[in-house]
Amino acid sequence: HVYRASTTAPVNIAVIKYWGKRDPRLNLPTNSSLSVTLSQSDLRTHTTASCSPSFSPPDTLLLNAQPQPLSDARSQACLTSLRALRSALESTDPSLPPLSSYPLRLSSANNFPTAAGLASSAAGFAALVRAIADLYQLPQSPTELSLIARQGSGSACRSLLGGYVAWDQGTLLDGTDSKARLVAPRSHWPEMRALILVVSAEKKGVSSTTGMQTTVQTSPMFQTRATQVVPRAMREMETAIAGKDFPGFAKITMRESNSFHATCLDTDPPIFYLNDVSRAAIKGVEAVNEKAGRIAAAYTFDAGPNCVVYYLEEDGDVVAGAFKTVLGEKEGWTGEQGKAVKGAE
Ligand code: DP6
């Protein structure tokens, strides 16, 4: 008999960025962060988890049909935690089949480019944890599961709740208070939209894991960002979301993306995630806002050159239309490279 569960997890794009670990093994961050969850239909990872006494060890993972190693410490941390929870269930109820002892077969597929700075690890680990939790019929809440997903990839802890999600950095050494918190469900502000301008679908140069550790070690600006800039931005952002204040949300989002990339530039050696096309996208958003005479759009960039533009549904024509004309002709913005992926929510 083969036991099976399938699930999807959405991409989340941070408006307050996680950048820096105080504990690299447990993925404990040096600052809290906050993200908006994108629509499942547009950007998501789909994962099937199965297990059976007839499977031979070891556990295996296919990502977009390619075999991937599962022996890394992060994947192992997730699998060990989930097996321990299942095993605890099995010991209280001996009628349950001993799924925790069976080898796992995991199969994941993204509907967007992997590792192009499109937060693929976030959706990937969130879907992996959710799929195995479903397979094991675990009673844990999404917030409790976020503690496990965090150990796979920090940003993954924000992909389990949907809507507007904070990751509170926590203070405990064991990380049990470093988890996701729902700031507002999607229904609170359902008019929010995201347009993803795919500047490059290539794998990024410096991984976030490596980049943020170099920043922590070498950037003089980093300390101020982690202890002053981000805590203030978190407070202001929660207020903006609570009041559905788009200009406030947009200003904090853009300032925060710029602070994060300034810190990358302040790293030794400097880390450049933005390129000329990214900078053209920033100009494009500024042009949209100037033309509208108000703040109708906000840009943000993760650890890569792709631009995410947040806007409200009512401004869909103004924003999406502008990007066709403002950026349509630019070099590096045509054909495959110029693909704009729409992520609603
Ligand atoms: C710039 O979550 O990919 O996207 O914990 O090492 O896996 P690891 O890092 P990861 O870093 C994401 C960094 C970011 C900002 C963010 O999503 O908050």
Side-chain angles (χ1 to χ4, degrees), residues 14 18 21 27 74 121 153-155 158 208-209 212 260 302-303:
Y18 150 50
K21 299 173 199 259
N27 267 344
R74 291 156 166 238
S121 66
S153 182
S155 52
R158 299 187 311 241
S208 14
T209 306
M212 67 175 84
F260 155 50
D302 277 348

Side-chain angles (χ1 to χ4, degrees), residues 246-333:
F246 187 82
F249 168 92
K251 272 191 222 158
I252 304 159
T253 297
M254 294 187 278
R255 200 173 52 201
E256 170 52 26
S257 173
N258 292 332
S259 157
F260 155 50
H261 289 280
T263 310
C264 289
L265 197 60
D266 190 47
T267 299
D268 183 18
I271 306 168
F272 306 99
Y273 286 125
L274 308 187
N275 64 22
D276 286 351
V277 187
S278 315
R279 284 184 281 274
I282 293 179
K283 291 283 169 223
V285 168
E286 286 173 349
V288 164
N289 291 338
E290 212 157 292
K291 201 168 158 210
R294 65 195 161 84
I295 299 187
Y299 55 79
T300 188
F301 299 82
D302 277 348
N306 297 321
C307 183
V308 177
V309 180
Y310 282 116
Y311 61 96
L312 295 179
E313 186 184 18
E314 67 206 43
D315 287 323
D317 292 345
V318 181
V319 175
F323 276 94
K324 272 194 205 107
T325 52
V326 176
L327 294 166
E329 257 63 89
K330 290 259 188 275
E331 207 189 329
W333 202 268

Side-chain angles (χ1 to χ4, degrees), residues 67-308:
Q68 295 287 313
L70 258 185
S71 53
D72 59 286
R74 291 156 166 238
S75 305
Q76 285 305 315
C78 294
L79 297 187
T80 305
S81 302
L82 292 160
R83 278 205 165 95
L85 293 174
R86 171 68 192 186
S87 166
L89 275 187
E90 289 164 4
S91 57
T92 56
D93 182 353
S95 72
L96 289 174
L99 303 192
S100 62
S101 64
Y102 301 159
L104 285 160
R105 295 282 175 271
L106 305 163
S107 170
S108 277
N110 293 333
N111 62 348
F112 56 91
T114 301
L118 278 183
S120 57
S121 66
F125 274 105
L128 180 136
V129 168
R130 179 83 262 172
I132 299 173
D134 289 353
L135 175 71
Y136 288 170
Q137 303 196 315
L138 300 180
Q140 273 70 23
S141 68
T143 294
E144 289 170 301
L145 294 178
S146 80
L147 289 160
I148 300 176
R150 188 203 73 224
Q151 296 177 59
S153 182
S155 52
C157 76
R158 299 187 311 241
S159 268
L160 287 159
L161 306 189
Y164 301 83
V165 181
W167 170 14
D168 293 320
Q169 65 185 103
T171 54
L172 300 176
L173 287 180
D174 68 0
T176 47
D177 60 348
S178 185
K179 57 189 176 188
R181 167 172 57 89
L182 187 66
V183 168
R186 171 184 142 67
S187 58
H188 166 71
W189 202 2
E191 298 85 8
M192 187 66 76
R193 294 289 178 275
L195 180 72
I196 305 202
L197 303 169
V198 181
V199 169
S200 166
E202 299 288 299
K203 207 167 150 54
K204 64 197 170 198
V206 180
S207 77
S208 14
T209 306
T210 311
M212 67 175 84
Q213 306 217 67
T214 316
T215 299
V216 173
Q217 286 154 12
T218 66
S219 162
M221 274 169 56
F222 169 75
Q223 204 58 28
T224 316
R225 171 175 161 76
T227 59
Q228 293 171 45
V229 177
V230 172
R232 183 172 161 197
M234 279 294 290
R235 286 193 299 273
E236 291 176 352
M237 183 55 92
E238 292 204 36
T239 306
I241 292 171
K244 299 203 261 179
D245 164 16
F246 187 82
F249 168 92
K251 272 191 222 158
I252 304 159
T253 297
M254 294 187 278
R255 200 173 52 201
E256 170 52 26
S257 173
N258 292 332
S259 157
F260 155 50
H261 289 280
T263 310
C264 289
L265 197 60
D266 190 47
T267 299
D268 183 18
I271 306 168
F272 306 99
Y273 286 125
L274 308 187
N275 64 22
D276 286 351
V277 187
S278 315
R279 284 184 281 274
I282 293 179
K283 291 283 169 223
V285 168
E286 286 173 349
V288 164
N289 291 338
E290 212 157 292
K291 201 168 158 210
R294 65 195 161 84
I295 299 187
Y299 55 79
T300 188
F301 299 82
D302 277 348
N306 297 321
C307 183
V308 177

